[in-house]
Every structure is written in structure tokens, then in C-alpha cells.
Amino acid sequence: MSVDHPSDRLVSSYAHGDTDLPADALWAMEAHLEQCAPCRRRLAGAAAEVPAVTALLTAVRSDLEPALDRSTPAPRRRRRPTAWATPVMGPWLAMVIGVSVVAALLDRTAGWTRGAPPVLLLAPVLPLAGVAAAWSRGLDPAFELTAVTPRAGLSLLLRRTATVLAVVLPVHLVAGLLTGVALAQWLLPSLALTATALALGGVIGVGRATVALGALWTVAVLAPAAALGRLFLLRPEHLPLWALALAAAVGVVLARRRSYTTPTSL
């Protein structure tokens, strides 16, 4: 497809600041210059022949050169892992770790757990608190600014979720080793619940999704365990169901990845 370049006369008139140029021609000229490097070079050559432009460039260069000679390069910015987090995530992650430690201590010292280890009951659902704090309109004072940046959306949400998991999962791993809880027995449900929160977040918002999943976990798992001492949905035979739920949630997140670009979905 051929491209209509502006004529030399039009380029010269633009360089000389001709005020008689029609508005539509001026707009078309500027729009074309944004995408055409050869025409920008033509404009630079034409502008070099304008005495006023040459004098202005010379004056600016003479003023800037001494300052540039005295300037020092800015220090190179270092990428820090905390760039993947927000300040508000710190207290929430500390709270999650504290609850995990208390659960491990109860499991080691209390005899009333009746076959329902606190670590196993809490480890799958605790990361949801960190995920909620990772991208929350009410908890993040910079939410409005972050939500409209080009880096917002699923990519940023996944980075902050990875930060939460990188902090919480090692703590739960140690707690599981101390209490004898099998790794797969809590890790698969934990990852499945986190992925489900992200999948639902694209529809109702991550904050609402974590609250809904937390309430559902309380009713379906914590309440029966406290009242009856029985484990629901956390037995070894349930692990294939958790793996299936994890795969389905990841599939939904990938299929609806564009829905995370709007602040209302998060």
C-alpha cells in the first residue's frame, strides 16, 4: 500500500511556521510525521534553513552544554523483589505467618484436634488473605494509579500472587514437616483455591472472590472439623479433585486474561 508523503512545499511551510496552513492539512502533516522517519529527516533539513530555528537551537545548545558537562549519570536502578509487592501486603503476610505458627504450635501441644490438624485446615486458605491484600482497592492507597498503568492487569496480579506464595508456602512447608502433614495434602488445595480466587476475580473482583472462598471454606471444612473432628475435602482420595480444580481455574484465568485489564474486575 502506497503512502502519500507531504510535498516539499508543505514541509517547508510547516518548518517556517506558516500560520495559513489549513487545520486539516496541519493535522495530517503532524500525524504523518509521527510514523514516517524519512519525512522527519526532511523536516529537520528544512528547519535547518530557517534562521529563527537555527538561532534558537544555537542558544539552547550554548546554555545546555555547560550544564551537561557538569552533570553526572544517574545511578542505575536496581530491581528489588519488593517491587512485586505493595506496602500494605507486609502486615497481611505477617498476620498469615503468625496464624501459621500458632496453628503449628496448637498441633504440637493441643490434644483436642481429634484428627483434624490445624495446619492442614488453615494452610490451604491462608494465602487468600495475602492475595486479597495484593490487589485491593480498599487496602492499597495507590490502587487507582496502579490500575491505569500499562503494567496493570493479569501480569501484575500474577507477580503479586507469586510474591504471596513465595512467602507463605515455605512457612507452611516447615509447619507441615513439624506436624507430619503431607505436602500434597495441603499444597494442592492451596494452589487450587488461589487459582480459583484469580479466576473468579476476573468476574466479581479478587477481593470479593477471596471473601467468598474463605466463607465457603469455613462452612465446608473448618466448621465440620471443629464440630465433628472430621476432615472434609482434605483426604488423600480428594487430591485428584483438587488437581482438576487447579487445572480448570488456570484454564479460566488464561481464557479470560483480558478481563483483568479493567480496575473494576480487580
Side-chain angles (χ1 to χ4, degrees):
M1 183 176 64
S2 62
V3 179
D4 294 331
H5 299 279
S7 64
D8 292 338
R9 180 180 178 182
L10 181 58
V11 172
S12 178
S13 298
Y14 185 83
H16 284 77
D18 189 353
T19 58
D20 295 332
L21 288 175
D24 55 345
L26 184 63
W27 179 87
M29 175 76 175
E30 294 176 346
H32 179 81
L33 288 173
E34 291 180 356
Q35 302 177 356
C36 184
C39 287
R40 290 196 296 270
R41 287 193 292 269
R42 292 171 56 201
L43 177 62
E49 300 175 358
V50 181
V53 175
T54 304
L56 177 61
L57 292 176
T58 302
V60 171
R61 187 180 297 112
S62 63
D63 292 339
L64 286 180
E65 281 182 349
L68 293 176
D69 292 339
R70 295 192 304 267
S71 64
T72 56
R76 186 177 179 180
R77 294 183 62 185
R78 296 181 178 180
R79 293 183 177 270
R80 303 188 301 271
T82 53
W84 287 30
T86 62
V88 75
M89 290 172 61
W92 281 77
L93 291 178
M95 179 270 293
V96 169
I97 294 174
V99 173
S100 303
V101 172
V102 171
L105 292 176
L106 288 176
D107 203 6
R108 296 284 293 179
T109 59
W112 46 266
T113 55
R114 295 187 299 174
V119 171
L120 180 57
L121 295 175
L122 297 177
V125 74
L126 282 179
L128 294 180
V131 172
W135 194 267
S136 172
R137 185 187 303 270
L139 297 176
D140 186 1
F143 177 87
E144 299 295 341
L145 295 176
T146 305
V148 297
T149 60
R151 297 181 61 185
L154 181 60
S155 175
L156 182 59
L157 181 60
L158 290 179
R159 292 177 182 181
R160 293 184 176 180
T161 302
T163 302
V164 172
L165 295 179
V167 174
V168 174
L169 293 187
V171 176
H172 290 168
L173 176 61
V174 174
L177 293 176
L178 293 176
T179 57
V181 177
L183 175 64
Q185 203 170 355
W186 63 263
L187 181 59
L188 267 178
S190 181
L191 295 178
L193 287 175
T194 302
T196 302
L198 299 186
L200 291 176
V203 181
I204 63 175
V206 175
R208 296 186 185 92
T210 55
V211 171
L213 289 175
L216 185 61
W217 185 265
T218 300
V219 173
V221 178
L222 294 183
L228 306 175
R230 297 179 56 186
L231 286 176
F232 290 93
L233 303 176
L234 289 175
R235 296 187 178 279
E237 58 267 22
H238 297 142
L239 293 181
L241 297 178
W242 286 112
L244 183 62
L246 173 60
V250 171
V252 171
V253 170
L254 295 178
R256 293 181 50 83
R257 57 187 177 274
R258 296 185 182 275
S259 65
Y260 297 88
T261 58
T262 58
T264 54
S265 66
L266 296 170

